[in-house]
Amino acid sequence: MKRIVVLISGSGSNLQAIIDACQLGRLNAEIVAVFSNKTDAFGLQRAQRAGIATQSLAIGDYADRQAFDRALMQSIDRYQPDLIVLAGYMRILSSSFVSHYLGRLLNIHPSLLPKYPGLHTHRRALENGDSEHGVSVHFVTEQLDGGPVILQASIPVLPDDTEQDLAERLLIEEHRIYPQVIQWWVEGRLSLRGDRAWLDNEPL
Ligand code: GRF
C-alpha cells in the first residue's frame, strides 16, 4: 500500500474526498499523516475523525521559509511517505522542498492552467468574462503553479455567477479528479519525466 502525506491550510474538503476514496476502495493508498501550517485548519478535524495522525507547524516558530520547510520535511519524512499531496496548502514551497519530493509531489489549483496561477482565480475568471473556468491537477515543480498539468476539469461560467458560486461548483469537480489522479500515481501509471507528465507511457 502506498503511503500518502497530505498538506492543508484550510477546510480540507479535498482531503475529505481523498479520505473517502480510500475508504471506498477507489484509492488503494493509506493517508499516513496530515500536516497543516494553520493550527485551526478544519481539515485537521476531518483527519482526526478518520483516525489519521495530524501535525501543525506554526510559521512564526521558524526564522524563515527555509527553516520552516526544513522542519516540515523532517517531520514528513518520519512517516516515510511515497507521495505528498498538496490540498489547499497555501504556502509557497522552497526549492529544496520541491526538489526533495520531485515527481512525487502533486497539487490542485483552481484554474485552467496555464491561466491564472496564484490567488483569486475565480475573481479573475469573472473579471475577464471567461465563458468557462476550471481546475488543474499538476506535478509541482519550482515554478509557482507552473508544473506539468495531469488532468483538468472545466465548468461553464453562468451569467449571474459570483466567486462563491464558481468556487462551490468547482469543488465538486476537484473532489472527482484529485482522487483519480492520485490513484493513477499509486498504480504506477503516472510519472514526471523531465518537464512532462506521462500517463501509461504517453506524454500528456
Ligand atoms: C481548492 O479550491 C483548491 O483547488 C485550492 O484551495 C482550495 C482548497 O479547498 N488549492 P479545500 O481546503 O480542499 O476545501
Side-chain angles (χ1 to χ4, degrees):
M1 198 83 128
K2 294 287 186 200
R3 299 168 65 81
I4 299 179
V5 160
V6 182
L7 270 57
I8 62 165
S9 301
S11 146
S13 70
N14 279 285
L15 165 67
Q16 187 68 59
I18 299 163
I19 292 172
D20 294 347
C22 290
Q23 285 174 353
L24 291 168
R26 289 194 193 129
L27 179 48
N28 303 313
E30 184 187 359
I31 305 172
V32 291
V34 171
F35 285 81
S36 173
N37 64 323
K38 302 273 180 206
T39 47
D40 59 351
F42 180 64
L44 292 171
Q45 292 180 41
R46 297 181 189 266
Q48 284 154 12
R49 213 188 301 144
I52 299 166
T54 60
Q55 193 174 329
S56 49
L57 285 82
I59 286 144
D61 292 344
Y62 300 89
D64 54 24
R65 187 183 303 283
Q66 296 296 334
F68 178 84
D69 275 6
R70 218 168 20 242
L72 181 59
M73 276 189 270
Q74 276 172 9
S75 303
I76 289 175
D77 287 346
R78 281 194 208 111
Y79 290 93
Q80 300 184 297
D82 298 292
L83 179 68
I84 314 298
V85 170
L86 306 180
Y89 183 66
M90 301 301 283
R91 251 182 93 70
I92 293 174
L93 301 167
S94 62
S95 55
S96 53
F97 189 98
V98 172
S99 61
H100 185 61
Y101 299 112
L102 195 66
R104 50 198 193 102
L105 182 56
L106 299 175
N107 185 40
I108 188 157
H109 182 76
S111 78
L112 292 170
L113 289 171
K115 265 190 166 182
Y116 315 137
L119 297 174
H120 309 304
T121 57
H122 312 307
R123 188 186 310 165
R124 287 150 77 194
L126 287 174
E127 281 169 359
N128 282 327
D130 292 355
S131 58
E132 64 165 12
H133 187 41
V135 56
S136 307
V137 177
H138 65 96
F139 278 112
V140 176
T141 61
E142 297 244 353
Q143 217 188 337
L144 178 68
D145 299 324
V149 169
I150 300 160
L151 185 62
Q152 296 182 314
S154 48
I155 57 168
V157 178
L158 305 176
D160 294 323
D161 271 344
T162 62
E163 277 182 60
Q164 181 69 21
D165 294 331
L166 284 183
E168 275 173 21
R169 290 213 312 281
L170 203 55
L171 276 174
I172 297 166
E173 300 304 313
E174 299 190 25
H175 302 161
R176 188 173 60 76
I177 69 171
Y178 213 3
Q180 168 72 77
V181 169
I182 297 167
Q183 174 66 7
W184 286 343
W185 193 92
V186 161
E187 290 175 329
R189 295 171 58 188
L190 177 66
S191 61
L192 177 69
R193 302 187 198 169
D195 57 3
R196 302 233 17 203
W198 287 62
L199 180 67
D200 296 335
N201 289 313
E202 305 270 358
L204 290 171

